[in-house]
Amino acid sequence: MNMQNALTDIQALASNRRRTSDDALFLHRAALEDIDDRLHIINRSFKSAAIVTGFPQVWNALRPDAQMVPDADTLALHQAAHDLVIHALGLHWANDPVGQMIQARRALVPDGLFLSVSYGGQTLHELRACLGQAEVAVTGGLSPRVAPMAELREIGGLLQRAGFALPVADTTTLRIEYTDMWHLMRDLRAMGEANALAARLRRPTARAVFDAAGKLYQDHYATADGRIVATFELVFLMGWAPDDSQPKALRPGSAQHRLADALNTAETPLSD
């Protein structure tokens, strides 16, 4: 893709990730546990897995035998080499999310499984609202501060665009309490999730913007004991590399039995 139109500054993202703290990667571990639960439900034994992640030190615990693949724009995956590819909490920084999924599909054998977990559109909605309102009030302008994250319906549709069969998308929401907005932002830096947008403001932000945002956060999103709440939405995607053995939808009008008979109920015609 044209890097002049890139969403993410790859060098800034790598720099942010080098400053992570292991204690702050609790969202990765929560996502890992959820992915592990999903794999146990699927009645399939996977023998050649790959995990696309910027945090192999965490995700290696999921499948120690898996190939760890950096979540670069071009994934180091070989065609038809894996029966399982997991994309782990990196799609929100991807300059081409559909391209990432297409590369993952091509790396799968027929009927191989793709699983992804990424941050959804409700993530940090409180922080985004407060920073935006404060910046407009103090400076009269607005700069990109939080990576845009797609809603469930939008990101689920990417599976079909990438050519996956039997696509499934669902979401879970975690609400984390912090002492104040400054505590939250320190945690985001320790997670490697500080601002790495290519269009980010390249000069220091006025302290007045953060002070105003902190007050707005406290006024609108505080708990009864004065702590603030931050929302993290995890979106899970699942799709299969196409294969002739997979179930397929019947042609409209090809049914051999009436639904009313199957339900043992009377069929009532609709009025004109």
Side-chain angles (χ1 to χ4, degrees):
M1 68 174 294
N2 184 355
M3 287 297 105
Q4 291 182 340
N5 299 320
L7 168 73
T8 300
D9 180 336
I10 300 299
Q11 290 184 340
L13 179 62
S15 177
N16 290 343
R17 287 177 170 178
R18 284 194 294 269
R19 295 194 293 268
T20 57
S21 165
D22 186 69
D23 291 342
L25 299 179
F26 58 90
L27 290 173
H28 280 266
R29 293 187 172 89
L32 184 152
E33 290 179 8
D34 205 313
I35 290 286
D36 192 37
D37 289 342
R38 292 162 192 262
L39 288 172
H40 278 93
I41 293 172
I42 298 170
N43 187 24
R44 180 77 64 91
S45 177
F46 298 101
K47 302 184 182 304
S48 179
I51 300 178
V52 179
T53 178
F55 298 88
Q57 70 273 29
V58 175
W59 287 89
N60 183 66
L62 179 65
R63 297 185 72 92
D65 59 337
Q67 177 187 348
M68 293 290 152
V69 179
D71 54 351
D73 288 329
T74 300
L75 301 179
L77 292 169
H78 296 292
Q79 188 166 349
H82 302 282
D83 55 8
L84 172 66
V85 173
I86 297 169
H87 206 299
L89 279 183
L91 278 179
H92 61 296
W93 287 120
N95 284 310
D96 183 9
V98 177
Q100 293 276 298
M101 293 184 187
I102 291 173
Q103 292 179 71
R105 177 180 56 77
R106 290 174 176 169
L108 288 168
V109 298
D111 205 32
L113 176 63
F114 172 75
L115 273 173
S116 169
V117 55
S118 59
Y119 293 117
Q122 291 303 304
T123 298
L124 297 176
H125 69 87
E126 306 94 344
L127 181 63
R128 283 181 283 163
C130 294
L131 283 173
Q133 186 176 340
E135 189 170 17
V136 169
V138 173
T139 71
L142 189 64
S143 60
R145 295 188 178 276
V146 180
M149 287 160 277
E151 300 294 336
L152 176 63
R153 180 180 300 179
E154 296 168 345
I155 199 168
L158 300 183
L159 282 169
Q160 292 179 309
R161 288 178 56 189
F164 285 105
L166 309 173
V168 176
D170 66 279
T171 181
T172 186
T173 301
L174 304 175
R175 291 181 173 85
I176 313 299
E177 293 187 6
Y178 289 93
T179 304
D180 52 31
M181 190 188 76
W182 299 100
H183 185 196
L184 166 60
M185 292 195 298
R186 284 195 298 270
D187 227 13
L188 291 175
R189 286 193 293 271
M191 293 177 189
E193 295 294 340
N195 192 350
L197 294 171
R200 70 191 183 280
L201 192 68
R202 300 304 177 106
R203 63 179 184 276
T205 298
R207 174 66 183 238
V209 171
F210 292 120
D211 287 342
K215 185 177 186 310
L216 287 168
Y217 213 133
Q218 201 70 39
D219 290 344
H220 295 285
Y221 302 106
T223 63
D225 60 357
R227 295 169 66 82
I228 63 163
V229 176
T231 297
F232 294 90
E233 181 185 30
L234 300 180
V235 175
F236 296 87
L237 304 179
M238 182 172 71
W240 298 84
D243 185 68
D244 290 340
S245 66
Q246 294 164 347
K248 296 175 177 59
L250 296 173
R251 291 182 296 103
S254 63
Q256 301 297 313
H257 301 282
R258 295 167 62 248
L259 179 60
D261 294 339
L263 298 176
N264 194 25
T265 186
E267 185 175 8
T268 305
L270 297 174
S271 59
D272 294 334

